[in-house]
């Protein structure tokens, strides 16, 4: 499943062809993805200009000149292709094989600048929705989301407050979208290792009794931001299928310190530990039991 850095990489890939551009023609080749497309989907897009392409957690948000917002989610297997002047680009690096089957090309945006942006999604867990901008804050998909981990508002004080009194593990707390939005399993594991904090540690221990952040909270927030920035810089991760469908290698999986590295030596300088895998709330956690306390 594409995680936050992958979605941000996709956003950056689509931005140059979509921002400031008008939808000349829109094809919805089927009536539904994960959910039915709005009945007036095509009509509400055609002729409108994309004023900005943003991201909230793992949602892409295209701000339209009509006052609507087009909300897009890649789901498990969704991807975009951009065709412009005979040159095809596939923004974002993925750990799953991308489908090239035209049968999975469900939505096609023909931009007035000549770019053709195709949404392909074999498993159809992706979604597209159009909502009025003034209703964005009430949108159920977005309303429950916590702060953006890369936003300025997300800091040690905020994270500590959210974890105050929590008896759950740090791993579970960081995986909770209401505490911080869009951090997936991989980046939670990686951030905890960088911060040298055990995934099993109680979440409440990053805050004092008053909810004030301690030094662990500071370290953790720094680690979360650093690992996401590094992953975005590397173009998102590329896991199991190291080879992308177009033959290019993803980059960031080479930088994983613990994720999928069970049995390997811990990369922390001076640490003699071995990476271990445990299962927490149904998901694999990779960590070093020696230096992560
Ligand atoms: Zn270690």
């Amino acid at each position: 499943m594409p995680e936050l850095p992958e979605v941000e990489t996709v956003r950056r890939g689509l931005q140059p062809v979509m921002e400031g551009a008008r939808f000349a023609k829109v094809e919805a080749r089927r009536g539904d993805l994960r959910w039915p497309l709005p009945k007036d989907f095509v009509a509400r897009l055609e002729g409108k200009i994309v004023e900005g392409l943003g991201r909230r957690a793992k949602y892409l948000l295209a701000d339209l000149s009509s006052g609507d917002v087009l909300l897009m989610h890649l789901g498990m297997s969704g991807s975009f292709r951009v065709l412009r002047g005979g040159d095809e680009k596939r923004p974002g690096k993925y750990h799953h094989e991308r489908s090239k089957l035209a049968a999975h090309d469900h939505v096609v945006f023909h931009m007035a600048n000549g770019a053709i942006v195709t949404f392909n999604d074999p498993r159809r867990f992706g979604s597209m929705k159009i909502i009025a901008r003034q209703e964005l804050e009430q949108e159920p998909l977005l309303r429950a989301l916590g702060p953006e981990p890369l936003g300025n508002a997300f800091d040690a004080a905020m994270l500590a407050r959210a974890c105050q009194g929590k008896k759950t593990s740090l791993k579970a707390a960081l995986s909770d979208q209401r505490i911080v939005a869009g951090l997936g399993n991989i980046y939670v594991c990686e951030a905890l290792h960088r911060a040298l904090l055990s995934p099993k540690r109680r979440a409440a221990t990053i805050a004092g009794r008053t909810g004030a952040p301690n030094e662990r909270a500071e370290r953790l927030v720094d680690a979360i931001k650093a690992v996401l920035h590094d992953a975005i810089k590397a173009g998102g991760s590329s896991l199991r299928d190291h080879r992308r469908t177009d033959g290019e290698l993803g980059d960031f999986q080479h930088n994983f310190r613990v994720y999928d590295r069970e049995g390997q030596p811990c990369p922390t300088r001076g640490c003699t530990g071995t990476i271990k895998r445990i299962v927490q709330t149904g998901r694999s956690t990779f960590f070093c039991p020696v230096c992560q306390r």
Side-chain angles (χ1 to χ4, degrees):
M1 184 184 303
E3 295 211 28
L4 189 151
E6 285 85 347
V7 178
E8 177 59 21
T9 314
V10 169
R11 189 191 71 80
R12 292 179 187 189
L14 294 179
Q15 202 173 22
V17 291
M18 289 188 76
E19 248 182 33
R22 188 166 52 82
F23 289 104
K25 187 179 138 199
V26 172
E27 293 176 65
R29 294 185 177 168
R30 51 180 305 138
D32 62 325
L33 295 169
R34 182 174 187 170
W35 299 299
L37 291 172
K39 285 201 172 56
D40 52 359
F41 183 75
V42 169
R44 280 169 83 175
L45 295 177
E46 281 183 351
K48 315 301 184 299
I49 294 166
V50 178
E51 293 181 335
L53 185 65
R55 179 187 57 74
R56 176 78 173 102
K58 295 202 280 186
Y59 291 94
L60 294 170
L61 293 109
D63 244 300
L64 308 180
S65 50
S66 55
D68 280 334
V69 177
L70 168 64
L71 201 69
M72 300 179 278
H73 195 283
L74 299 168
M76 309 278 287
S77 58
S79 67
F80 284 98
R81 288 197 314 275
V82 176
L83 189 68
R84 194 181 199 182
D87 179 29
E88 191 177 87
K89 284 212 174 69
R90 296 167 169 242
K93 292 186 177 177
Y94 285 68
H95 62 267
H96 54 79
E97 292 272 322
R98 286 192 195 198
S99 166
K100 283 182 174 170
L101 280 179
H104 299 149
D105 290 346
H106 303 312
V107 179
V108 185
F109 301 136
H110 300 263
M111 308 309 291
N113 61 17
I116 300 170
V117 179
T118 302
F119 181 68
N120 181 295
D121 188 1
R123 297 181 63 185
R124 278 190 288 119
F125 279 101
S127 58
M128 292 197 191
K129 192 171 176 178
I130 300 177
I131 39 185
R133 193 178 298 151
Q134 67 264 29
E135 283 160 26
L136 206 57
E137 290 199 357
Q138 282 83 53
E139 169 55 39
L141 294 171
L142 305 177
R143 203 176 43 195
L145 291 173
E148 277 297 312
L150 292 174
N152 291 331
F154 181 67
D155 59 12
M158 176 179 258
L159 183 60
R161 229 176 8 252
C163 289
Q164 185 187 3
K166 281 225 182 307
K167 292 192 173 75
T168 51
S169 66
L170 264 185
K171 169 80 189 301
L174 294 181
S175 306
D176 183 343
Q177 302 301 299
R178 292 165 301 182
I179 291 182
V180 52
L183 267 192
N185 199 39
I186 296 172
Y187 297 100
V188 170
C189 293
E190 291 294 312
L192 285 168
H193 182 262
R194 286 189 190 213
L196 303 177
L197 292 172
S198 169
K200 297 190 281 186
R201 169 181 279 283
R202 268 177 55 173
T205 61
I206 65 164
R209 223 167 279 152
T210 58
N214 59 27
E215 180 266 341
R216 291 184 200 111
E218 305 275 356
R219 239 161 52 204
L220 188 51
V221 165
D222 287 350
I224 289 168
K225 290 182 189 271
V227 74
L228 292 176
H229 278 305
D230 286 356
I232 291 168
K233 213 156 84 186
S237 61
S238 156
L239 283 178
R240 296 175 202 298
D241 307 313
H242 287 190
R243 225 159 248 291
R244 295 163 59 192
T245 42
D246 50 5
E248 265 183 76
L249 284 169
D251 298 318
F252 195 69
Q253 89 276 1
H254 302 301
N255 299 332
F256 287 158
R257 298 187 187 180
V258 287
Y259 194 83
D260 230 2
R261 293 188 175 271
E262 185 181 13
Q264 296 186 30
C266 173
T268 300
R269 195 175 303 167
C271 180
T272 55
T274 301
I275 305 307
K276 207 175 147 187
R277 186 185 78 93
I278 56 171
V279 174
Q280 287 178 294
T281 52
R283 308 288 307 270
S284 287
T285 297
F286 297 90
F287 76 111
C288 171
V290 176
C291 63
Q292 286 181 255
R293 291 312 178 111

